[in-house]
Amino acid sequence: MVIDATRMKNLGDRFAEGEVRGRSLWADARRRFFRNKAAVGGLVMLALITLLALFGDSLAQWSNEEIDFDVMGQAAQVGQPSIGNGHYFGTDDLGRDLYSRTLQGTRISLMVGIVGSLIAVIVGTLYGAVSGYVGGRTDQILMRTVDILLAVPFMFVVILLLVMFGRSLFMLFFGIGLMSWLNMARIVRGQTLSLKHKEYVEAAQATGVPTFTIILRHIVPNLVGIVAVYATLLVPEMILIESFISFLGLGVQEPLTSLGALISEGARTIYYGTTWQLLWPLAFFVATLFSFFFIGDGLRDALDPKDR
Amino acid sequence: MINYILKRLAVAVPTLLLLIIISFLLMHAAPGGPFTQERQLPAAVLANLEAKYGLDQPLWRQLLSYVWGIVAHFDFGPSFIYKDRTVNEIIAQGFPVTLTYGTVSFVIAILVGVSLGIAAAIRHNTWLDYLAVGVSIGAQVLPNFVMAPLLLLTFTWWLRWLPGGGWEHGRWEYMVMPVIALSTSYMASIARLTRASMLEVLTSNHIRTARAKGLPERKVILRHALKPALLPVLSYLGPAFVAMVTGSVVVDFFFSTGGIGRSFVDSALNRDYAVMLGITILVGALTIFFNLVVDILYGWIDPKIRY
Amino acid sequence: MHKLLLTTALGLGLAFPAAAATLQPGETLAANQEYTYWLLDAIKSLDPQINTDVEGSGVLRGLFEGLYNEDQVGALVPGVATSFDLSDDKTVYTFHLRDNAKWSNGDPVTANDFVYSWKRLADPKTASEYAWYMELMQVKNSADIIAGKKPVDDLGVKALDDHTFEVTIEAPLPYFPKMLTHASTFPVNQKVIEENGDKWTEPGKLVGNGAYVLKEHILGEKLVMVPNPQYWDNEHTVLTKVTALTINDENAALTRYLAGELDRTQIPAGQYPRLKEEYPDQAISVPQSCSYIYMFNLDKEKGPEALKDVRVRKALSYAIDRDTIVDKILQGGQWPSYNWTHHATEGFKMPDIDYSHWTQDERDAKAIELMTEAGYGPDHPLALTLNYNTSESHKKIAIAVQQFWKKIGVDLTLNNMEWKVHTDKMQNQDFEVARYAWCGDYNEASTYLDLFTSYSGHNNGKFRSERYDELMKESKTAADPNPMYTEAEQILADEMPMAPIYQYTKVEMIKPDMRGLGLNNLMQNWYLKDMYRVAE
């Protein structure tokens, strides 16, 4: 599947080169994106997961917090996935339905990943591009600020925040948002530094285009490739950070859960033969992240102005 | 260049100071102190303890004498929880361990990651590319707290090839699993970043020019493509190294390596103010140092960048 | 009865044979006498007067020796002291110390060492977190010394000569001798401490009087001990090397046990039945003196209104299905609990607690009835918050209780916090219902029951009962305090200031050739000098 998609894309690129003058970059990109089977596959998979996460509860026979007392304590013997007792994905150690817990966990993880990544992309890109492009004293100040913030071990600050203000989803977003944009800003700045000496930027400068317009029109679009790649690295990273926090026992409050919390619980019990407790949430986790990777790559290929 | 480095180092001092103040205040704002225990201490005992560690002083005074201790004697004070030890001792014992397996992991992650990324980019759209992409996505997705018990289960319990934990002054068989658990996801990230940026560079004008000149492909890649392709990877390395140091908590947790990662989280949970601050400062200093190194490397790779 | 005999015998100044690694008939020693066991966390301190935790005490019992030790079932046996005399008013103990006890550097252990270390424990300058233990032992003037009101030298301890140590206590305390096995009362070597300051516990510097000496101590990795040739009973010490490995994850520890790297480790909650089936000679479950409860906040200002109604408290307690928790969640032979004191505590007689005999259906029905009487029901649910600290089994129990209470119309919010915050909130009465557990310091019911007196520093739920206070005060001087303990327990059952849940067992995997671990000692205090491996 992956093979054909990429070949198709390259072919498409060549055909497209001469013809599409005048059409906007974005319409062009969209067309190319939808020709990329891997990316479309990722998009479809993500859509399916999202749909299932949002509406799959109507198929569940147990809520995410109900305990099946017939299974409780014997998860290894009778808790395995079964259509008969309504636990499609099996149960956790307490006898709670893994199907509805996985769906609910997916909702939380998707939210954490997307919100965290969104904060990083918006704040980080603008910050980094401005810093790198404007340069001089502004760059100095902006980047030293980032340095200072980066030097603060943020995992630690997040732990402290969760400890101090109690656990809540808001704190989780806030903490993860805090951590996420800094590296983005550095990467974007690095890329901007090498872009700003490009001919078309220098041409724009020479014709007196305002700085901010240059950043938005010439720098940012040329950053999209690297931003997309990095943002796709970031969504799983956000979800992984959340799962690490869950691993430390500081994640969302029971009976709510997240994929990270489910995986962390499942991983601790893999020694005991209840593999489904790890595999189902891990499958959703992996599928979600794969989708993001493919979509990200697809975006990169579609948007990369150098291909034209 | 030297001026630039000196300037950066001059900025590092206030940065660290700010870091100390932020962490110090955050720590003290959190509920519970180092002597909060299930068996509540009688007021008199608590007062004695607080007097001994200077916690009965006003906050600004504590902060001041703490900073003074570091500046004047490089003394990070005693641990409030591990009472036989000073912070200096705890760090001196744990940090070399973390640094050792962290560096080994780091080097392996870079070597394998960059090679894999380049290979994938050069053989773009071949089975090697897809394999590299698939493996690196898979590796990135598997959290190390899943990998660690899996490794234990496989190598210690099942195959009985490797000891399940310990450090033993860094003997290799004790290092294998920590390094695998720690390096894999960074290796994967580096491979993906290298591949993406290599692909971008390979389609750029100066590579086309180089190719048009008839240079052999190997030369094109090594001499012209590699350096610019590594730029975004470089940006990633500084934070990645620091993340490895702090992320080593999982390694310490599962493999009893006795590194600093575990002390880091423990000190926060135990309100061991001194240890937590000591490690924060250490990690902060490391971050600053690595960012500086990365920036210098940046300049070396891309001479167009002016300081 | 057992206790009475023991006390009498000790009072008469009779000597007991020392327990050591004594082979049972038919046993032969194995060639390998190395022992490796599991520690969840690093040992925080090896200073007897500074240490606060159970794991640390285990190591300290190897490195040091107090006046008395415990044998395999927890009875007192001589340590440094061979016998003692008790004055007629029962407030002056005179201990006779053995003359062959030596420090690991060869110096003799004298009564002055005990005087020094007991004063050190009480001294405000030491700032020991266990200074209150001196107070608990009622050593004369200890309270004032700890509070800084009297000089340390006023402490009621004296060296009559090199081998006679005298202790004066404030009032007769029947279980005083039992408290002498606690690690905080162990002697330390003044010379070594003064020479090395806080560093004196480092390997190589540490000088102890126990059967073992410290060889290596690496935080978060391991601690190694080897026999102390200077120990007075060294010829009966069998284990040649003892290693404690720190493994933060109990599942990883179990894996390493199964791979042969450990000789003893804890079994994670829920795994006991399977392991018992697979390794019947290795999986054990023995009672341990700890009690697990949900404490209700009865504080006048900060406690929720609903919990001031005893009917609600009773309903909440009734509705907890302890059998399910014990049999299906913990699965390690824990004891479903309807009272506070651990049931196996020496001399303790359980009152007849009515609801312990009911079936769970009866309890649930009664609970619903009480809730309705109190004005709560399906259309008027009671909203409560439960605080618990981070741990896999606390979490599981909390989730189950949430479901149990749902049945009687309680809407329970779970509030998981990390340990320090949990403790801080409890101590400031900043909670509604909170998980709590208490482990006995010595094998006697007062170690539990004192907690619910109005003057106790640990009564975080602020339960008040005059009769209860009276009983506990009287018990201190009574010839037989046990009937008072029984009545006090009855008050707890009637007033229900907390919901008892279960009493602990130690659930562990132990290599079948290990002997002398003191598993039948309810306090689970083991002595390395008593352990050995047998040939199979």
Side-chain angles (χ1 to χ4, degrees), chain C residues 223-235:
Chain C
L223 183 148
V224 183
M225 289 178 275
V226 292
N228 170 12
Q230 299 286 345
Y231 181 59
W232 63 271
D233 200 18
N234 185 45
E235 56 179 315

Side-chain angles (χ1 to χ4, degrees), chain C residues 380-535:
Chain C
H380 182 216
L382 169 61
L384 282 175
T385 305
L386 167 70
N387 290 1
Y388 66 100
N389 60 296
T390 308
S391 140
E392 201 53 36
S393 51
H394 300 340
K395 183 175 87 185
K396 286 180 176 169
I397 293 172
I399 292 163
V401 168
Q402 186 183 39
Q403 297 295 313
F404 297 147
W405 285 359
K406 210 177 212 174
K407 284 194 282 196
I408 61 165
V410 174
D411 203 356
L412 185 69
T413 306
L414 301 184
N415 196 4
N416 171 212
M417 287 172 293
E418 46 97 18
W419 174 239
K420 290 277 171 179
V421 182
H422 176 72
T423 311
D424 191 62
K425 291 207 186 271
M426 276 197 84
Q427 290 172 359
N428 290 308
Q429 284 72 50
D430 197 1
F431 68 101
E432 296 184 352
V433 183
R435 181 212 79 88
Y436 197 69
W438 183 263
C439 291
D441 283 309
Y442 44 91
N443 193 358
E444 219 261 355
S446 64
T447 189
Y448 287 96
L449 292 166
D450 279 342
L451 188 135
F452 283 102
T453 56
S454 62
Y455 48 85
S456 154
H458 304 116
N459 185 355
N460 293 323
K462 298 291 165 200
F463 168 69
R464 294 276 177 278
S465 160
E466 271 174 41
R467 177 67 191 146
Y468 190 93
D469 286 0
E470 254 172 60
L471 281 168
M472 291 316 295
K473 273 183 192 151
E474 272 174 44
S475 73
K476 296 286 173 239
T477 50
D480 180 11
N482 282 312
M484 292 161 192
Y485 296 156
T486 308
E487 193 185 337
E489 275 288 358
Q490 188 60 53
I491 294 175
L492 292 182
D494 293 339
E495 294 291 325
M496 213 71 88
M498 47 89 192
I501 294 182
Y502 75 91
Q503 292 169 4
Y504 285 44
T505 48
K506 201 135 183 89
V507 192
E508 301 198 304
M509 293 291 279
I510 300 177
K511 284 282 147 72
D513 62 335
M514 284 301 302
R515 296 287 184 277
L517 297 157
L519 293 173
N520 294 322
N521 178 351
L522 182 65
M523 307 308 290
Q524 294 302 330
N525 288 340
W526 39 257
Y527 290 82
L528 292 172
K529 66 180 175 60
D530 298 342
M531 296 185 195
Y532 56 96
R533 311 190 78 125
V534 294

Side-chain angles (χ1 to χ4, degrees), chain A residues 65-67 69-70 72-74 93-94 96 163 167 248-250 253-255 265 268-269 271-272, chain C residues 251-252 254-255 268 271 274 324 328-329 331 388 390 395-396 399-400 403-404 406 414-416 418 421:
Chain A
E65 52 168 89
E66 248 175 299
I67 294 175
F69 285 100
D70 294 335
M72 187 188 207
Q74 295 169 288
D93 270 355
L94 271 176
R96 288 180 298 178
V163 159
R167 322 267 205 73
L248 294 177
L250 293 169
Q253 289 282 3
E254 288 283 350
E265 271 163 37
R268 279 173 202 214
T269 52
Y271 307 107
Y272 312 128
Chain C
N251 300 306
L254 181 58
T255 312
Q271 295 308 318
R274 179 182 72 87
T324 297
K328 292 189 167 174
I329 298 179
Q331 303 187 44
Y388 66 100
T390 308
K395 183 175 87 185
K396 286 180 176 169
I399 292 163
Q403 297 295 313
F404 297 147
K406 210 177 212 174
L414 301 184
N415 196 4
N416 171 212
E418 46 97 18
V421 182

